[in-house]
């Protein structure tokens, strides 16, 4: 495959690659501390990894990528300096990488309790979404001030309010109503969830949406999770058979592709 021809590569792999990959980008702090650097340096390097992974995901023909950039717990439990630094990094990332996002055709979306974020960050998120709304090669969704239980609570409240207004009968509530009230109702369920830095837990990320996702845990810290690591994870995914609770896989992936 020629790395200069991402479109033909994406076409060749179509049907094999996961359509939606979710990432828990863990280990920035440890990456920095192990090098005697401030934790902020780990987050900066993590943002570089996010750029490289976005590019590679587009090349591989992935349709959606959702990254856990900042959990609600991160915001509450980290020193204010670190949280402020992450907010600034996010704003810098959005401003600095605008042209790359345009060039790649990536549509940006944000999920989480964004109304609780500082006003300037909220404004930047809205601008980034508006400016990239016409892009259609891949959706890059960043979860910021996100917690999956909060998302489900917010959905339950919205559904209860609809019932209170007489628009919905509680007996008619089904899975589609829950899914339809999540932060991004158009999000398809992730096919693959990748967590870096050797931790094997979900940490309140997309609990509803990952019911049938394949899980992949990479030992390296997020800043070391380069494009070749993404390829390894995709290859591992392609070798798995998904069952969706049944006996026969609806999408049989019996043999690994040539990469
Ligand atoms: C977890 O590592 C990572 C985060 C809390 C932040 C993730 C942010 C990035 C990858 C940078 C890109 C983000 C933006 C906002 C564009 P950790 O600090 O918990 O690492 P540790 O577990 O080793 O301490």
């Amino acid at each position: 495959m020629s790395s200069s021809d991402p479109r033909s590569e994406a076409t060749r792999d179509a049907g094999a690659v996961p359509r939606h990959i979710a990432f828990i980008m863990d280990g920035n702090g440890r990456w920095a501390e192990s090098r005697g650097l401030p934790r902020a340096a780990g987050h900066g390097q993590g943002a570089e990894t996010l750029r490289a992974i976005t590019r590679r995901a587009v090349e591989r023909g992935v349709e959606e990528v959702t990254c856990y950039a900042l959990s609600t717990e991160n915001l509450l439990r980290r020193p204010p300096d670190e949280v402020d630094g992450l907010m600034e990094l996010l704003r810098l990332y959005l401003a600095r990488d605008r042209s790359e996002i345009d060039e790649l055709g990536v549509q940006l979306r944000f999920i989480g309790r964004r109304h609780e974020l500082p006003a300037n960050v909220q404004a930047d998120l809205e601008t980034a979404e508006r400016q990239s709304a016409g892009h259609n090669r891949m959706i890059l969704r960043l979860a910021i001030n996100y917690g999956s239980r909060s998302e489900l609570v917010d959905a339950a409240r919205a559904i209860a309010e609809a019932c209170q207004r007489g628009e919905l009968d509680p007996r008619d509530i089904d899975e589609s109503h829950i899914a339809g009230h999540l932060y991004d109702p158009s999000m398809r369920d992730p096919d693959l969830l990748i967590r870096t830095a050797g931790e094997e837990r979900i940490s309140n990320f997309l609990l509803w949406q990952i019911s049938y996702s394949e899980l992949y845990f990479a030992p390296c810290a997020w800043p070391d999770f380069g494009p070749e690591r993404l390829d390894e994870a995709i290859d591992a995914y392609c070798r798995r058979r998904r069952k969706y609770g049944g006996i026969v896989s609806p999408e049989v992936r019996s043999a690994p592709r040539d990469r």
Side-chain angles (χ1 to χ4, degrees), residues 76-124:
L76 292 174
R77 295 191 194 138
R78 301 210 170 204
D81 279 1
E82 185 171 341
V83 171
D84 291 348
L86 278 164
M87 292 293 166
E88 280 315 304
L89 182 64
L90 172 63
R91 299 186 69 210
L92 180 72
Y93 174 85
L94 295 177
R96 194 199 54 186
D97 293 342
R98 162 102 200 266
S99 56
E100 192 166 357
I101 283 162
D102 289 345
E103 180 216 323
L104 289 174
V106 167
Q107 186 183 127
L108 286 170
R109 295 191 193 176
F110 303 93
I111 53 172
R113 284 187 171 165
R114 30 200 295 184
H115 61 277
E116 294 175 355
L117 294 169
N120 57 0
V121 175
Q122 288 188 46
D124 285 358

Short mmCIF file of all heavy atoms in Angstrom, two decimals, residues 76-124:
data_model
loop_
_atom_site.label_atom_id
_atom_site.label_comp_id
_atom_site.label_asym_id
_atom_site.label_seq_id
_atom_site.Cartn_x
_atom_site.Cartn_y
_atom_site.Cartn_z
N LEU A 76 -13.15 17.44 38.06
CA LEU A 76 -13.39 17.65 39.49
C LEU A 76 -12.17 17.31 40.34
O LEU A 76 -11.91 17.94 41.35
CB LEU A 76 -14.57 16.79 39.95
CG LEU A 76 -15.94 17.18 39.39
CD1 LEU A 76 -17.01 16.17 39.80
CD2 LEU A 76 -16.32 18.59 39.87
N ARG A 77 -11.41 16.30 39.89
CA ARG A 77 -10.38 15.74 40.78
C ARG A 77 -8.97 16.18 40.45
O ARG A 77 -8.04 15.83 41.16
CB ARG A 77 -10.46 14.21 40.75
CG ARG A 77 -11.77 13.70 41.31
CD ARG A 77 -11.73 12.20 41.52
NE ARG A 77 -13.09 11.71 41.74
CZ ARG A 77 -13.58 10.60 41.21
NH1 ARG A 77 -12.82 9.84 40.46
NH2 ARG A 77 -14.81 10.22 41.45
N ARG A 78 -8.76 16.87 39.36
CA ARG A 78 -7.39 17.28 39.02
C ARG A 78 -7.10 18.67 39.54
O ARG A 78 -8.03 19.48 39.68
CB ARG A 78 -7.18 17.25 37.52
CG ARG A 78 -7.45 15.87 37.00
CD ARG A 78 -6.70 15.51 35.82
NE ARG A 78 -6.94 14.08 35.65
CZ ARG A 78 -6.15 13.26 35.01
NH1 ARG A 78 -5.05 13.70 34.46
NH2 ARG A 78 -6.43 11.99 34.93
N PRO A 79 -5.84 18.99 39.79
CA PRO A 79 -5.51 20.35 40.24
C PRO A 79 -6.01 21.37 39.22
O PRO A 79 -5.93 21.11 38.01
CB PRO A 79 -3.98 20.35 40.31
CG PRO A 79 -3.55 18.93 40.22
CD PRO A 79 -4.67 18.14 39.59
N PRO A 80 -6.54 22.52 39.70
CA PRO A 80 -7.08 23.51 38.77
C PRO A 80 -6.09 23.90 37.67
O PRO A 80 -6.48 24.12 36.52
CB PRO A 80 -7.40 24.71 39.67
CG PRO A 80 -7.59 24.12 41.03
CD PRO A 80 -6.72 22.90 41.10
N ASP A 81 -4.81 23.96 38.00
CA ASP A 81 -3.80 24.33 37.00
C ASP A 81 -3.80 23.35 35.83
O ASP A 81 -3.68 23.74 34.67
CB ASP A 81 -2.39 24.29 37.61
CG ASP A 81 -2.11 25.56 38.38
OD1 ASP A 81 -3.02 26.41 38.43
OD2 ASP A 81 -1.00 25.66 38.94
N GLU A 82 -3.91 22.06 36.17
CA GLU A 82 -3.87 21.04 35.12
C GLU A 82 -5.13 21.14 34.26
O GLU A 82 -5.07 21.04 33.02
CB GLU A 82 -3.74 19.64 35.72
CG GLU A 82 -3.58 18.57 34.65
CD GLU A 82 -3.24 17.18 35.17
OE1 GLU A 82 -2.76 17.08 36.32
OE2 GLU A 82 -3.46 16.21 34.42
N VAL A 83 -6.28 21.37 34.92
CA VAL A 83 -7.54 21.49 34.17
C VAL A 83 -7.48 22.72 33.26
O VAL A 83 -7.83 22.65 32.07
CB VAL A 83 -8.74 21.58 35.14
CG1 VAL A 83 -10.02 21.92 34.38
CG2 VAL A 83 -8.91 20.25 35.88
N ASP A 84 -7.00 23.85 33.80
CA ASP A 84 -6.88 25.06 32.98
C ASP A 84 -5.97 24.79 31.78
O ASP A 84 -6.24 25.21 30.65
CB ASP A 84 -6.29 26.23 33.80
CG ASP A 84 -7.28 26.71 34.85
OD1 ASP A 84 -8.46 26.31 34.79
OD2 ASP A 84 -6.86 27.47 35.75
N GLY A 85 -4.87 24.06 32.04
CA GLY A 85 -3.93 23.75 30.96
C GLY A 85 -4.59 22.90 29.89
O GLY A 85 -4.37 23.10 28.69
N LEU A 86 -5.43 21.95 30.31
CA LEU A 86 -6.12 21.10 29.33
C LEU A 86 -7.11 21.91 28.50
O LEU A 86 -7.24 21.70 27.29
CB LEU A 86 -6.83 19.95 30.06
CG LEU A 86 -5.91 18.76 30.40
CD1 LEU A 86 -6.56 17.87 31.45
CD2 LEU A 86 -5.57 17.94 29.16
N MET A 87 -7.78 22.85 29.16
CA MET A 87 -8.74 23.71 28.42
C MET A 87 -7.98 24.55 27.38
O MET A 87 -8.43 24.71 26.24
CB MET A 87 -9.49 24.65 29.37
CG MET A 87 -10.43 23.97 30.31
SD MET A 87 -11.82 23.23 29.40
CE MET A 87 -12.48 22.19 30.67
N GLU A 88 -6.85 25.09 27.80
CA GLU A 88 -6.06 25.90 26.87
C GLU A 88 -5.54 25.05 25.72
O GLU A 88 -5.50 25.48 24.57
CB GLU A 88 -4.89 26.59 27.60
CG GLU A 88 -5.31 27.84 28.36
CD GLU A 88 -6.23 28.76 27.53
OE1 GLU A 88 -5.85 29.16 26.41
OE2 GLU A 88 -7.35 29.04 27.98
N LEU A 89 -5.12 23.82 26.07
CA LEU A 89 -4.63 22.90 25.04
C LEU A 89 -5.73 22.60 24.02
O LEU A 89 -5.50 22.58 22.81
CB LEU A 89 -4.14 21.61 25.70
CG LEU A 89 -3.55 20.55 24.78
CD1 LEU A 89 -2.27 21.07 24.12
CD2 LEU A 89 -3.24 19.27 25.56
N LEU A 90 -6.94 22.41 24.52
CA LEU A 90 -8.07 22.14 23.64
C LEU A 90 -8.30 23.33 22.70
O LEU A 90 -8.45 23.15 21.48
CB LEU A 90 -9.32 21.89 24.49
CG LEU A 90 -10.65 21.78 23.74
CD1 LEU A 90 -10.65 20.58 22.80
CD2 LEU A 90 -11.81 21.66 24.73
N ARG A 91 -8.28 24.54 23.26
CA ARG A 91 -8.53 25.72 22.44
C ARG A 91 -7.41 25.90 21.40
O ARG A 91 -7.65 26.22 20.24
CB ARG A 91 -8.64 26.96 23.33
CG ARG A 91 -9.79 26.85 24.32
CD ARG A 91 -10.00 28.12 25.09
NE ARG A 91 -10.51 29.17 24.23
CZ ARG A 91 -10.28 30.47 24.41
NH1 ARG A 91 -9.53 30.87 25.43
NH2 ARG A 91 -10.78 31.35 23.59
N LEU A 92 -6.17 25.64 21.84
CA LEU A 92 -5.02 25.74 20.93
C LEU A 92 -5.14 24.70 19.82
O LEU A 92 -4.93 24.99 18.64
CB LEU A 92 -3.74 25.50 21.74
CG LEU A 92 -2.43 25.56 20.97
CD1 LEU A 92 -2.13 27.00 20.59
CD2 LEU A 92 -1.28 25.00 21.81
N TYR A 93 -5.50 23.49 20.22
CA TYR A 93 -5.65 22.38 19.27
C TYR A 93 -6.68 22.75 18.20
O TYR A 93 -6.45 22.56 17.01
CB TYR A 93 -6.07 21.14 20.05
CG TYR A 93 -6.41 19.93 19.23
CD1 TYR A 93 -5.43 19.06 18.79
CD2 TYR A 93 -7.74 19.65 18.90
CE1 TYR A 93 -5.74 17.94 18.04
CE2 TYR A 93 -8.06 18.53 18.15
CZ TYR A 93 -7.06 17.68 17.72
OH TYR A 93 -7.39 16.58 16.97
N LEU A 94 -7.81 23.30 18.64
CA LEU A 94 -8.88 23.64 17.70
C LEU A 94 -8.44 24.75 16.75
O LEU A 94 -8.74 24.73 15.56
CB LEU A 94 -10.15 24.05 18.45
CG LEU A 94 -10.81 22.95 19.28
CD1 LEU A 94 -12.02 23.50 20.03
CD2 LEU A 94 -11.21 21.76 18.41
N ALA A 95 -7.71 25.73 17.29
CA ALA A 95 -7.28 26.86 16.46
C ALA A 95 -6.16 26.43 15.52
O ALA A 95 -6.20 26.68 14.31
CB ALA A 95 -6.83 28.01 17.35
N ARG A 96 -5.16 25.76 16.08
CA ARG A 96 -3.96 25.44 15.30
C ARG A 96 -4.21 24.39 14.24
O ARG A 96 -3.62 24.41 13.16
CB ARG A 96 -2.88 24.95 16.28
CG ARG A 96 -1.49 24.89 15.72
CD ARG A 96 -0.63 23.99 16.56
NE ARG A 96 -1.23 22.67 16.71
CZ ARG A 96 -0.75 21.72 17.49
NH1 ARG A 96 0.29 21.95 18.24
NH2 ARG A 96 -1.34 20.54 17.56
N ASP A 97 -5.10 23.45 14.52
CA ASP A 97 -5.28 22.33 13.61
C ASP A 97 -6.45 22.50 12.66
O ASP A 97 -6.85 21.57 11.97
CB ASP A 97 -5.42 21.02 14.40
CG ASP A 97 -4.12 20.68 15.10
OD1 ASP A 97 -3.08 21.24 14.72
OD2 ASP A 97 -4.14 19.87 16.04
N ARG A 98 -6.99 23.71 12.62
CA ARG A 98 -8.16 23.97 11.77
C ARG A 98 -7.89 23.57 10.31
O ARG A 98 -8.69 22.88 9.68
CB ARG A 98 -8.52 25.45 11.89
CG ARG A 98 -9.39 25.98 10.80
CD ARG A 98 -10.84 26.13 11.24
NE ARG A 98 -11.72 26.20 10.09
CZ ARG A 98 -12.12 27.31 9.52
NH1 ARG A 98 -11.75 28.48 10.03
NH2 ARG A 98 -12.91 27.28 8.47
N SER A 99 -6.72 24.00 9.78
CA SER A 99 -6.47 23.74 8.37
C SER A 99 -6.31 22.24 8.12
O SER A 99 -6.74 21.72 7.08
CB SER A 99 -5.24 24.51 7.87
OG SER A 99 -4.15 24.16 8.66
N GLU A 100 -5.72 21.53 9.08
CA GLU A 100 -5.55 20.09 8.90
C GLU A 100 -6.91 19.39 8.94
O GLU A 100 -7.18 18.46 8.19
CB GLU A 100 -4.64 19.54 10.01
CG GLU A 100 -4.20 18.13 9.73
CD GLU A 100 -3.05 17.67 10.59
OE1 GLU A 100 -2.53 18.47 11.40
OE2 GLU A 100 -2.68 16.49 10.45
N ILE A 101 -7.79 19.88 9.82
CA ILE A 101 -9.13 19.31 9.92
C ILE A 101 -9.89 19.54 8.61
O ILE A 101 -10.56 18.65 8.09
CB ILE A 101 -9.84 19.91 11.15
CG1 ILE A 101 -9.30 19.23 12.41
CG2 ILE A 101 -11.35 19.76 11.07
CD1 ILE A 101 -9.54 19.94 13.69
N ASP A 102 -9.72 20.74 8.04
CA ASP A 102 -10.35 21.04 6.74
C ASP A 102 -9.78 20.13 5.66
O ASP A 102 -10.51 19.56 4.85
CB ASP A 102 -10.10 22.50 6.35
CG ASP A 102 -10.89 23.46 7.23
OD1 ASP A 102 -11.81 23.00 7.92
OD2 ASP A 102 -10.56 24.66 7.22
N GLU A 103 -8.45 20.01 5.65
CA GLU A 103 -7.78 19.22 4.60
C GLU A 103 -8.22 17.76 4.66
O GLU A 103 -8.45 17.11 3.63
CB GLU A 103 -6.26 19.33 4.82
CG GLU A 103 -5.41 18.57 3.83
CD GLU A 103 -4.17 18.00 4.50
OE1 GLU A 103 -3.59 18.68 5.39
OE2 GLU A 103 -3.79 16.87 4.15
N LEU A 104 -8.37 17.24 5.87
CA LEU A 104 -8.75 15.83 6.02
C LEU A 104 -10.24 15.61 5.81
O LEU A 104 -10.68 14.47 5.64
CB LEU A 104 -8.38 15.34 7.43
CG LEU A 104 -6.89 15.16 7.73
CD1 LEU A 104 -6.69 14.81 9.20
CD2 LEU A 104 -6.30 14.06 6.85
N GLY A 105 -11.04 16.67 5.86
CA GLY A 105 -12.49 16.51 5.74
C GLY A 105 -13.12 15.94 6.99
O GLY A 105 -14.06 15.15 6.93
N VAL A 106 -12.58 16.36 8.14
CA VAL A 106 -13.06 15.83 9.42
C VAL A 106 -14.10 16.77 10.02
O VAL A 106 -13.89 17.98 10.10
CB VAL A 106 -11.88 15.65 10.40
CG1 VAL A 106 -12.37 15.42 11.82
CG2 VAL A 106 -11.00 14.48 9.96
N GLN A 107 -15.20 16.19 10.42
CA GLN A 107 -16.26 16.96 11.09
C GLN A 107 -16.08 16.81 12.61
O GLN A 107 -16.00 15.69 13.11
CB GLN A 107 -17.62 16.42 10.67
CG GLN A 107 -18.77 17.24 11.18
CD GLN A 107 -20.11 16.63 10.80
OE1 GLN A 107 -20.94 16.40 11.67
NE2 GLN A 107 -20.31 16.34 9.53
N LEU A 108 -16.00 17.93 13.29
CA LEU A 108 -15.80 17.89 14.75
C LEU A 108 -17.14 17.95 15.47
O LEU A 108 -18.03 18.72 15.08
CB LEU A 108 -14.95 19.09 15.20
CG LEU A 108 -13.47 19.00 14.86
CD1 LEU A 108 -12.80 20.34 15.13
CD2 LEU A 108 -12.78 17.91 15.68
N ARG A 109 -17.25 17.13 16.50
CA ARG A 109 -18.43 17.20 17.38
C ARG A 109 -17.95 17.03 18.82
O ARG A 109 -16.92 16.41 19.06
CB ARG A 109 -19.43 16.10 17.05
CG ARG A 109 -20.04 16.25 15.68
CD ARG A 109 -21.20 15.30 15.52
NE ARG A 109 -21.59 15.23 14.12
CZ ARG A 109 -22.51 14.43 13.65
NH1 ARG A 109 -23.15 13.61 14.46
NH2 ARG A 109 -22.81 14.42 12.38
N PHE A 110 -18.74 17.53 19.74
CA PHE A 110 -18.37 17.46 21.15
C PHE A 110 -19.54 16.92 21.94
O PHE A 110 -20.69 17.30 21.71
CB PHE A 110 -17.97 18.85 21.66
CG PHE A 110 -16.85 19.44 20.86
CD1 PHE A 110 -17.12 20.27 19.77
CD2 PHE A 110 -15.54 19.11 21.12
CE1 PHE A 110 -16.10 20.77 18.98
CE2 PHE A 110 -14.51 19.61 20.33
CZ PHE A 110 -14.79 20.45 19.26
N ILE A 111 -19.24 16.03 22.88
CA ILE A 111 -20.29 15.51 23.75
C ILE A 111 -19.88 15.72 25.20
O ILE A 111 -18.69 15.70 25.53
CB ILE A 111 -20.58 14.01 23.47
CG1 ILE A 111 -19.31 13.16 23.55
CG2 ILE A 111 -21.28 13.83 22.13
CD1 ILE A 111 -19.57 11.65 23.49
N GLY A 112 -20.87 15.90 26.05
CA GLY A 112 -20.60 16.13 27.47
C GLY A 112 -21.49 17.25 27.96
O GLY A 112 -22.29 17.79 27.20
N ARG A 113 -21.35 17.58 29.24
CA ARG A 113 -22.13 18.70 29.80
C ARG A 113 -21.40 19.99 29.46
O ARG A 113 -20.72 20.60 30.29
CB ARG A 113 -22.31 18.51 31.30
CG ARG A 113 -23.36 17.45 31.62
CD ARG A 113 -23.67 17.38 33.09
NE ARG A 113 -24.82 16.50 33.33
CZ ARG A 113 -25.15 16.01 34.50
NH1 ARG A 113 -24.43 16.30 35.58
NH2 ARG A 113 -26.21 15.23 34.64
N ARG A 114 -21.54 20.41 28.20
CA ARG A 114 -20.75 21.54 27.74
C ARG A 114 -21.19 22.85 28.36
O ARG A 114 -20.40 23.78 28.46
CB ARG A 114 -20.69 21.62 26.21
CG ARG A 114 -21.88 21.09 25.51
CD ARG A 114 -21.65 20.75 24.09
NE ARG A 114 -21.32 21.89 23.23
CZ ARG A 114 -21.16 21.77 21.92
NH1 ARG A 114 -21.30 20.60 21.34
NH2 ARG A 114 -20.87 22.80 21.19
N HIS A 115 -22.47 22.92 28.80
CA HIS A 115 -22.93 24.18 29.40
C HIS A 115 -22.19 24.48 30.71
O HIS A 115 -22.23 25.60 31.20
CB HIS A 115 -24.44 24.13 29.65
CG HIS A 115 -24.87 23.04 30.59
ND1 HIS A 115 -25.06 21.74 30.17
CD2 HIS A 115 -25.10 23.06 31.92
CE1 HIS A 115 -25.40 21.00 31.22
NE2 HIS A 115 -25.44 21.78 32.29
N GLU A 116 -21.50 23.49 31.28
CA GLU A 116 -20.74 23.72 32.52
C GLU A 116 -19.31 24.20 32.24
O GLU A 116 -18.57 24.51 33.17
CB GLU A 116 -20.69 22.43 33.36
CG GLU A 116 -22.06 22.01 33.88
CD GLU A 116 -22.03 20.66 34.60
OE1 GLU A 116 -20.97 20.00 34.62
OE2 GLU A 116 -23.07 20.26 35.11
N LEU A 117 -18.91 24.22 30.98
CA LEU A 117 -17.54 24.63 30.64
C LEU A 117 -17.43 26.15 30.62
O LEU A 117 -18.44 26.84 30.48
CB LEU A 117 -17.17 24.06 29.27
CG LEU A 117 -17.08 22.53 29.17
CD1 LEU A 117 -16.99 22.08 27.72
CD2 LEU A 117 -15.89 22.02 29.98
N PRO A 118 -16.20 26.68 30.74
CA PRO A 118 -16.03 28.13 30.64
C PRO A 118 -16.61 28.66 29.33
O PRO A 118 -16.57 27.98 28.29
CB PRO A 118 -14.51 28.32 30.68
CG PRO A 118 -13.97 27.08 31.31
CD PRO A 118 -14.93 25.97 30.98
N ALA A 119 -17.14 29.89 29.38
CA ALA A 119 -17.84 30.45 28.22
C ALA A 119 -16.95 30.49 26.98
O ALA A 119 -17.43 30.20 25.87
CB ALA A 119 -18.35 31.85 28.56
N ASN A 120 -15.66 30.83 27.15
CA ASN A 120 -14.80 30.91 25.96
C ASN A 120 -14.58 29.53 25.33
O ASN A 120 -14.50 29.40 24.10
CB ASN A 120 -13.47 31.62 26.27
CG ASN A 120 -12.69 30.95 27.39
OD1 ASN A 120 -13.14 29.95 27.95
ND2 ASN A 120 -11.54 31.51 27.73
N VAL A 121 -14.54 28.50 26.16
CA VAL A 121 -14.38 27.14 25.62
C VAL A 121 -15.67 26.74 24.88
O VAL A 121 -15.61 26.22 23.75
CB VAL A 121 -14.05 26.13 26.74
CG1 VAL A 121 -14.01 24.71 26.20
CG2 VAL A 121 -12.74 26.49 27.43
N GLN A 122 -16.82 27.02 25.50
CA GLN A 122 -18.09 26.70 24.84
C GLN A 122 -18.17 27.37 23.47
O GLN A 122 -18.59 26.76 22.48
CB GLN A 122 -19.26 27.20 25.68
CG GLN A 122 -19.51 26.40 26.94
CD GLN A 122 -20.81 26.85 27.62
OE1 GLN A 122 -21.83 27.00 26.96
NE2 GLN A 122 -20.76 27.06 28.92
N ALA A 123 -17.74 28.63 23.42
CA ALA A 123 -17.81 29.37 22.14
C ALA A 123 -16.90 28.71 21.12
O ALA A 123 -17.26 28.57 19.94
CB ALA A 123 -17.42 30.83 22.37
N ASP A 124 -15.69 28.29 21.54
CA ASP A 124 -14.76 27.65 20.61
C ASP A 124 -15.32 26.32 20.08
O ASP A 124 -15.13 25.97 18.92
CB ASP A 124 -13.40 27.42 21.27
CG ASP A 124 -12.62 28.71 21.41
OD1 ASP A 124 -13.12 29.76 20.95
OD2 ASP A 124 -11.52 28.68 21.99
#
